[in-house]
Amino acid sequence: MKFAIVGPGGIGSTFAFQLARAGHEVTVVARGKRLEQLQRDEAIVKATGERAAVRVSAALDATAAWDLVLVTVLASQVDAVLPALAASAAKSVMFMFNTFEPLRRLRDVVGSARFAFGFPAILATLDDGKLTSKIVTRGMVTTVTDEAWAKVFKDAGIPAVVHADMESWLRTHAAFAVPVMVASVTAHARQAGLSWTEAMNLARAMEEGLRLVRQLGNTITPEPVARLSRLPTPVIATFLWTLSRIEALRKLGAAGPGEPRTLIDAMAAAAPGQTPALLAIRP
């Protein structure tokens, strides 16, 4: 099959590596320093030295009948690529990033027949162009809207499941992930874990975000997060306090505060005046 990966950061590079290793034709669309690295290597290169050959482009070929264009940019970057996606001859377009906004806008751009969404259960970083990634293989694995693509990803070594209500899933995940990301950014900046007061503030923000999901008419899903939402605030704070002391989570904070800021702003826009705890932790 023919894949185009738009946004080959850690997540996009992991998909590109796995799909290429599985025998698919993969083209990565990049810019800036990442484009230069990929043009030089003509491959996704892991920190271990493993390589998977890919094609490299500075722009999406609108005439190519890609089986799938996988879009792994940040939510704040997606508007810049929407015109190219709308004009593309791709058979399917799957967006894959954190978002709190309704999905209908993206669906309308590419057409409901081509639209798909997914979320990666992958921890990945790029250090000087070299990929380090861990693919979650049990529990909360990669989640997508389409059974056929779940099978393709699974066959490529990325276990995936289908969820019928991806908008609820994404909004729940945003409410859960924002405090975790803020904890990671804070811990990375100071190279030390959160204080208890900071952990409690983040726990209250998580609870507020999950209440907002329900208020907007969505369901708290999947079940592990639904169970977490029923825990007392100090227990959630303990969870966040502990996470901030794990080196792998702290390292993810190197990505900076842009993504949690974007998600908090989207949540605040969905319920003006009703998200003081979330705005209080905005980095």
Side-chain angles (χ1 to χ4, degrees):
M1 300 180 78
K2 294 179 64 174
F3 291 86
I5 312 288
V6 179
I11 299 300
S13 294
T14 301
F15 273 89
F17 184 92
Q18 295 296 133
L19 290 166
R21 278 290 183 93
H24 299 289
E25 180 184 312
V26 178
T27 297
V28 291
V29 180
R31 62 181 182 177
K33 182 179 179 181
R34 185 60 175 145
L35 175 61
E36 294 173 5
Q37 292 167 337
L38 290 163
Q39 288 174 328
R40 180 188 67 235
D41 296 334
E42 296 183 334
I44 303 297
V45 182
K46 285 194 167 186
T48 58
E50 296 176 275
R51 300 169 62 90
V54 296
R55 302 183 182 191
V56 183
S57 178
L60 183 68
D61 182 355
T63 66
W66 310 103
D67 291 293
L68 179 69
V69 175
L70 183 60
V71 184
T72 57
V73 300
L74 297 176
S76 58
Q77 300 168 330
V78 73
D79 282 353
V81 301
L82 289 181
L85 296 171
S88 170
K91 299 172 185 175
S92 296
V93 178
M94 179 180 289
F95 298 91
M96 187 172 278
F97 50 77
N98 263 318
T99 185
F100 196 79
E101 296 182 359
L103 300 184
R104 60 180 177 271
R105 182 174 74 94
L106 301 175
R107 185 182 293 111
D108 289 346
V109 168
V110 300
S112 57
R114 297 197 300 165
F115 174 81
F117 209 104
F119 195 86
I122 295 170
L123 296 175
T125 57
L126 286 171
D127 294 308
D128 195 25
K130 303 300 189 291
L131 174 67
T132 299
S133 63
K134 177 177 177 55
I135 299 169
V136 177
T137 58
R138 59 177 60 187
M140 292 179 62
V141 299
T142 294
T143 304
V144 298
T145 54
D146 187 280
E147 184 66 49
W149 293 121
K151 183 179 186 308
V152 170
F153 294 156
K154 181 179 179 181
D155 290 346
I158 302 174
V161 296
V162 176
H163 199 288
D165 184 2
M166 200 66 191
E167 185 169 286
S168 287
W169 194 103
L170 287 162
R171 283 182 161 174
T172 299
H173 184 269
F176 168 78
V178 159
V180 174
M181 287 189 284
V182 173
S184 178
V185 169
T186 302
H188 176 77
R190 70 168 62 135
Q191 288 300 296
L194 299 173
S195 69
W196 179 248
T197 298
E198 289 170 328
M200 284 292 288
N201 289 339
L202 291 177
R204 293 187 185 101
M206 184 182 293
E207 291 172 336
E208 182 176 82
L210 292 169
R211 284 197 300 272
L212 176 59
V213 173
R214 297 187 186 95
Q215 178 184 325
L216 293 173
N218 296 106
T219 303
I220 302 299
T221 185
E223 182 55 31
V225 183
R227 289 197 296 269
L228 177 69
S229 72
R230 295 189 287 269
L231 294 176
T233 306
V235 176
I236 298 174
T238 300
F239 166 71
L240 293 165
W241 186 92
T242 303
L243 279 183
S244 72
R245 284 158 171 76
I246 298 174
E247 182 60 31
L249 259 293
R250 187 180 299 172
K251 187 175 181 181
L252 292 177
E259 190 170 12
R261 282 177 184 164
T262 297
L263 288 169
I264 289 171
D265 289 347
M267 296 165 83
Q274 300 180 49
T275 57
L278 282 161
L279 291 173
I281 68 163
R282 186 181 186 275

PDB file of all heavy atoms in Angstrom, residues 223-240:
ATOM      1  N   GLU A 223     -13.002   3.101  29.511  1.00  0.00           N
ATOM      2  CA  GLU A 223     -13.338   2.777  30.889  1.00  0.00           C
ATOM      3  C   GLU A 223     -12.202   3.041  31.876  1.00  0.00           C
ATOM      4  O   GLU A 223     -12.465   3.523  32.991  1.00  0.00           O
ATOM      5  CB  GLU A 223     -13.799   1.326  31.002  1.00  0.00           C
ATOM      6  CG  GLU A 223     -14.220   0.895  32.412  1.00  0.00           C
ATOM      7  CD  GLU A 223     -15.295   1.797  33.018  1.00  0.00           C
ATOM      8  OE1 GLU A 223     -16.126   2.344  32.267  1.00  0.00           O
ATOM      9  OE2 GLU A 223     -15.297   1.964  34.254  1.00  0.00           O
ATOM     10  N   PRO A 224     -10.921   2.789  31.551  1.00  0.00           N
ATOM     11  CA  PRO A 224      -9.877   3.093  32.537  1.00  0.00           C
ATOM     12  C   PRO A 224      -9.863   4.564  32.954  1.00  0.00           C
ATOM     13  O   PRO A 224      -9.628   4.875  34.126  1.00  0.00           O
ATOM     14  CB  PRO A 224      -8.584   2.706  31.792  1.00  0.00           C
ATOM     15  CG  PRO A 224      -9.011   1.624  30.856  1.00  0.00           C
ATOM     16  CD  PRO A 224     -10.369   2.037  30.389  1.00  0.00           C
ATOM     17  N   VAL A 225     -10.120   5.471  32.017  1.00  0.00           N
ATOM     18  CA  VAL A 225     -10.157   6.886  32.366  1.00  0.00           C
ATOM     19  C   VAL A 225     -11.439   7.198  33.139  1.00  0.00           C
ATOM     20  O   VAL A 225     -11.443   8.030  34.052  1.00  0.00           O
ATOM     21  CB  VAL A 225     -10.043   7.771  31.117  1.00  0.00           C
ATOM     22  CG1 VAL A 225     -10.004   9.252  31.509  1.00  0.00           C
ATOM     23  CG2 VAL A 225      -8.793   7.427  30.320  1.00  0.00           C
ATOM     24  N   ALA A 226     -12.532   6.538  32.780  1.00  0.00           N
ATOM     25  CA  ALA A 226     -13.778   6.717  33.524  1.00  0.00           C
ATOM     26  C   ALA A 226     -13.579   6.319  34.986  1.00  0.00           C
ATOM     27  O   ALA A 226     -14.080   7.004  35.900  1.00  0.00           O
ATOM     28  CB  ALA A 226     -14.895   5.895  32.885  1.00  0.00           C
ATOM     29  N   ARG A 227     -12.840   5.241  35.223  1.00  0.00           N
ATOM     30  CA  ARG A 227     -12.562   4.830  36.605  1.00  0.00           C
ATOM     31  C   ARG A 227     -11.686   5.858  37.311  1.00  0.00           C
ATOM     32  O   ARG A 227     -11.919   6.189  38.476  1.00  0.00           O
ATOM     33  CB  ARG A 227     -11.880   3.456  36.615  1.00  0.00           C
ATOM     34  CG  ARG A 227     -12.820   2.303  36.235  1.00  0.00           C
ATOM     35  CD  ARG A 227     -12.236   0.964  36.665  1.00  0.00           C
ATOM     36  NE  ARG A 227     -10.996   0.667  35.974  1.00  0.00           N
ATOM     37  CZ  ARG A 227     -10.916  -0.014  34.834  1.00  0.00           C
ATOM     38  NH1 ARG A 227     -12.027  -0.466  34.236  1.00  0.00           N
ATOM     39  NH2 ARG A 227      -9.748  -0.250  34.269  1.00  0.00           N
ATOM     40  N   LEU A 228     -10.683   6.369  36.602  1.00  0.00           N
ATOM     41  CA  LEU A 228      -9.805   7.388  37.168  1.00  0.00           C
ATOM     42  C   LEU A 228     -10.603   8.631  37.565  1.00  0.00           C
ATOM     43  O   LEU A 228     -10.343   9.240  38.608  1.00  0.00           O
ATOM     44  CB  LEU A 228      -8.720   7.764  36.159  1.00  0.00           C
ATOM     45  CG  LEU A 228      -7.756   8.881  36.575  1.00  0.00           C
ATOM     46  CD1 LEU A 228      -6.863   8.404  37.706  1.00  0.00           C
ATOM     47  CD2 LEU A 228      -6.927   9.355  35.395  1.00  0.00           C
ATOM     48  N   SER A 229     -11.592   8.983  36.756  1.00  0.00           N
ATOM     49  CA  SER A 229     -12.379  10.194  37.018  1.00  0.00           C
ATOM     50  C   SER A 229     -13.183  10.099  38.304  1.00  0.00           C
ATOM     51  O   SER A 229     -13.630  11.117  38.834  1.00  0.00           O
ATOM     52  CB  SER A 229     -13.319  10.477  35.838  1.00  0.00           C
ATOM     53  OG  SER A 229     -14.384   9.550  35.791  1.00  0.00           O
ATOM     54  N   ARG A 230     -13.371   8.886  38.803  1.00  0.00           N
ATOM     55  CA  ARG A 230     -14.156   8.696  40.030  1.00  0.00           C
ATOM     56  C   ARG A 230     -13.278   8.647  41.287  1.00  0.00           C
ATOM     57  O   ARG A 230     -13.788   8.516  42.397  1.00  0.00           O
ATOM     58  CB  ARG A 230     -14.990   7.414  39.914  1.00  0.00           C
ATOM     59  CG  ARG A 230     -16.053   7.477  38.806  1.00  0.00           C
ATOM     60  CD  ARG A 230     -16.996   6.290  38.860  1.00  0.00           C
ATOM     61  NE  ARG A 230     -16.389   5.063  38.401  1.00  0.00           N
ATOM     62  CZ  ARG A 230     -16.423   4.631  37.133  1.00  0.00           C
ATOM     63  NH1 ARG A 230     -17.033   5.349  36.201  1.00  0.00           N
ATOM     64  NH2 ARG A 230     -15.873   3.482  36.792  1.00  0.00           N
ATOM     65  N   LEU A 231     -11.962   8.767  41.121  1.00  0.00           N
ATOM     66  CA  LEU A 231     -11.058   8.707  42.263  1.00  0.00           C
ATOM     67  C   LEU A 231     -11.030  10.042  43.006  1.00  0.00           C
ATOM     68  O   LEU A 231     -11.248  11.098  42.414  1.00  0.00           O
ATOM     69  CB  LEU A 231      -9.648   8.358  41.790  1.00  0.00           C
ATOM     70  CG  LEU A 231      -9.448   6.964  41.189  1.00  0.00           C
ATOM     71  CD1 LEU A 231      -8.024   6.816  40.671  1.00  0.00           C
ATOM     72  CD2 LEU A 231      -9.762   5.880  42.213  1.00  0.00           C
ATOM     73  N   PRO A 232     -10.746  10.026  44.312  1.00  0.00           N
ATOM     74  CA  PRO A 232     -10.621  11.275  45.072  1.00  0.00           C
ATOM     75  C   PRO A 232      -9.470  12.135  44.543  1.00  0.00           C
ATOM     76  O   PRO A 232      -8.470  11.610  44.019  1.00  0.00           O
ATOM     77  CB  PRO A 232     -10.336  10.795  46.500  1.00  0.00           C
ATOM     78  CG  PRO A 232     -10.785   9.367  46.539  1.00  0.00           C
ATOM     79  CD  PRO A 232     -10.567   8.829  45.158  1.00  0.00           C
ATOM     80  N   THR A 233      -9.588  13.437  44.716  1.00  0.00           N
ATOM     81  CA  THR A 233      -8.577  14.368  44.212  1.00  0.00           C
ATOM     82  C   THR A 233      -7.163  14.038  44.700  1.00  0.00           C
ATOM     83  O   THR A 233      -6.216  14.052  43.899  1.00  0.00           O
ATOM     84  CB  THR A 233      -8.940  15.811  44.613  1.00  0.00           C
ATOM     85  OG1 THR A 233     -10.266  16.104  44.174  1.00  0.00           O
ATOM     86  CG2 THR A 233      -7.978  16.815  43.988  1.00  0.00           C
ATOM     87  N   PRO A 234      -6.952  13.733  45.987  1.00  0.00           N
ATOM     88  CA  PRO A 234      -5.586  13.430  46.433  1.00  0.00           C
ATOM     89  C   PRO A 234      -4.981  12.210  45.740  1.00  0.00           C
ATOM     90  O   PRO A 234      -3.757  12.147  45.563  1.00  0.00           O
ATOM     91  CB  PRO A 234      -5.748  13.183  47.939  1.00  0.00           C
ATOM     92  CG  PRO A 234      -6.983  13.946  48.306  1.00  0.00           C
ATOM     93  CD  PRO A 234      -7.894  13.796  47.129  1.00  0.00           C
ATOM     94  N   VAL A 235      -5.807  11.246  45.357  1.00  0.00           N
ATOM     95  CA  VAL A 235      -5.283  10.067  44.661  1.00  0.00           C
ATOM     96  C   VAL A 235      -4.801  10.452  43.262  1.00  0.00           C
ATOM     97  O   VAL A 235      -3.737  10.019  42.813  1.00  0.00           O
ATOM     98  CB  VAL A 235      -6.357   8.964  44.581  1.00  0.00           C
ATOM     99  CG1 VAL A 235      -5.848   7.779  43.771  1.00  0.00           C
ATOM    100  CG2 VAL A 235      -6.763   8.512  45.986  1.00  0.00           C
ATOM    101  N   ILE A 236      -5.580  11.276  42.581  1.00  0.00           N
ATOM    102  CA  ILE A 236      -5.163  11.752  41.260  1.00  0.00           C
ATOM    103  C   ILE A 236      -3.887  12.582  41.390  1.00  0.00           C
ATOM    104  O   ILE A 236      -2.959  12.473  40.579  1.00  0.00           O
ATOM    105  CB  ILE A 236      -6.283  12.569  40.603  1.00  0.00           C
ATOM    106  CG1 ILE A 236      -7.517  11.698  40.379  1.00  0.00           C
ATOM    107  CG2 ILE A 236      -5.810  13.166  39.282  1.00  0.00           C
ATOM    108  CD1 ILE A 236      -8.735  12.457  39.869  1.00  0.00           C
ATOM    109  N   ALA A 237      -3.819  13.415  42.437  1.00  0.00           N
ATOM    110  CA  ALA A 237      -2.627  14.233  42.662  1.00  0.00           C
ATOM    111  C   ALA A 237      -1.400  13.358  42.907  1.00  0.00           C
ATOM    112  O   ALA A 237      -0.301  13.649  42.404  1.00  0.00           O
ATOM    113  CB  ALA A 237      -2.850  15.175  43.844  1.00  0.00           C
ATOM    114  N   THR A 238      -1.578  12.276  43.650  1.00  0.00           N
ATOM    115  CA  THR A 238      -0.464  11.349  43.894  1.00  0.00           C
ATOM    116  C   THR A 238       0.030  10.735  42.595  1.00  0.00           C
ATOM    117  O   THR A 238       1.242  10.589  42.366  1.00  0.00           O
ATOM    118  CB  THR A 238      -0.903  10.240  44.866  1.00  0.00           C
ATOM    119  OG1 THR A 238      -1.304  10.824  46.104  1.00  0.00           O
ATOM    120  CG2 THR A 238       0.219   9.247  45.116  1.00  0.00           C
ATOM    121  N   PHE A 239      -0.910  10.381  41.726  1.00  0.00           N
ATOM    122  CA  PHE A 239      -0.573   9.838  40.405  1.00  0.00           C
ATOM    123  C   PHE A 239       0.281  10.835  39.624  1.00  0.00           C
ATOM    124  O   PHE A 239       1.330  10.486  39.062  1.00  0.00           O
ATOM    125  CB  PHE A 239      -1.872   9.510  39.668  1.00  0.00           C
ATOM    126  CG  PHE A 239      -1.730   9.248  38.202  1.00  0.00           C
ATOM    127  CD1 PHE A 239      -1.134   8.091  37.737  1.00  0.00           C
ATOM    128  CD2 PHE A 239      -2.219  10.159  37.275  1.00  0.00           C
ATOM    129  CE1 PHE A 239      -1.010   7.845  36.368  1.00  0.00           C
ATOM    130  CE2 PHE A 239      -2.114   9.933  35.919  1.00  0.00           C
ATOM    131  CZ  PHE A 239      -1.497   8.770  35.462  1.00  0.00           C
ATOM    132  N   LEU A 240      -0.120  12.101  39.588  1.00  0.00           N
ATOM    133  CA  LEU A 240       0.606  13.125  38.839  1.00  0.00           C
ATOM    134  C   LEU A 240       1.948  13.437  39.498  1.00  0.00           C
ATOM    135  O   LEU A 240       2.965  13.630  38.807  1.00  0.00           O
ATOM    136  CB  LEU A 240      -0.249  14.391  38.734  1.00  0.00           C
ATOM    137  CG  LEU A 240      -1.513  14.244  37.875  1.00  0.00           C
ATOM    138  CD1 LEU A 240      -2.472  15.408  38.133  1.00  0.00           C
ATOM    139  CD2 LEU A 240      -1.159  14.165  36.403  1.00  0.00           C
TER     140      LEU A 240
END
